[in-house]
Amino acid sequence: MGDMSFLDKLLLWLHIGFAVFAIGPLTAVTSVTPRYIRARDVNVLKYLNRSTRLFGLLTLGVFVFGLALGRSALAKPYLSVSMTLFIVAAVLLVIIDRDQRSALQALSTENTDDDARVQTGRIAAFSGLVALIWLVILFLMVFFNPS
């Protein structure tokens, strides 16, 4: 790390900063969503859905600054696998966002027949899978990064 340029150090700082301040909160808000669907707390669900969108968009900073930092090394297997996993996580997050919105819609109606059980299960499963993907990417970054 001593031979890194100022630009590389800045990119690394931004990459890690976005990871800490976007991925951490994103993982927290998606993982608690099922609890508030079961509690039928529409106000908290609205907040969690807005937070999922905000932090989800901010995670793109992790990807962009990682790409800029990796530049010439993007063909290395650990980076290719990490980028692919990131895209898989992004797709799962889009599904989580959709399920949060459909759960909100179901719980906002007068009809209490739809308890959003399907969305609850899928959000729980996908948010756990996304958290696991983040950990795998972290493992790859720490243990396979030559610098």
Side-chain angles (χ1 to χ4, degrees), residues 14-31 51-52 54-64 66 82 85-87 89-90 93 127 129-138 141:
L14 288 166
H15 180 64
I16 293 170
F18 270 88
V20 169
F21 292 106
I23 289 177
L26 177 64
T27 303
V29 298
T30 59
S31 67
S51 297
T52 298
L54 171 67
F55 292 121
L57 286 173
L58 289 175
T59 62
L60 295 176
V62 178
F63 192 78
V64 168
S82 295
L85 287 171
F86 189 97
I87 292 166
L93 287 165
S127 66
L129 185 55
V130 169
L132 182 61
I133 288 171
W134 298 144
L135 289 173
V136 170
I137 292 171
L138 177 61
M141 292 295 114

Side-chain angles (χ1 to χ4, degrees), residues 85-107:
L85 287 171
F86 189 97
I87 292 166
V88 169
V91 169
L92 293 174
L93 287 165
V94 168
I95 296 169
I96 289 170
D97 174 69
R98 182 204 62 194
D99 283 347
Q100 285 175 328
R101 284 183 283 121
S102 58
L104 267 167
Q105 191 172 15
L107 298 178

Side-chain angles (χ1 to χ4, degrees), residues 69 78 81 84 89 109 127-128 133 143:
L69 188 62
Y78 82 98
V81 170
T84 303
T109 63
S127 66
I133 288 171
F143 290 101

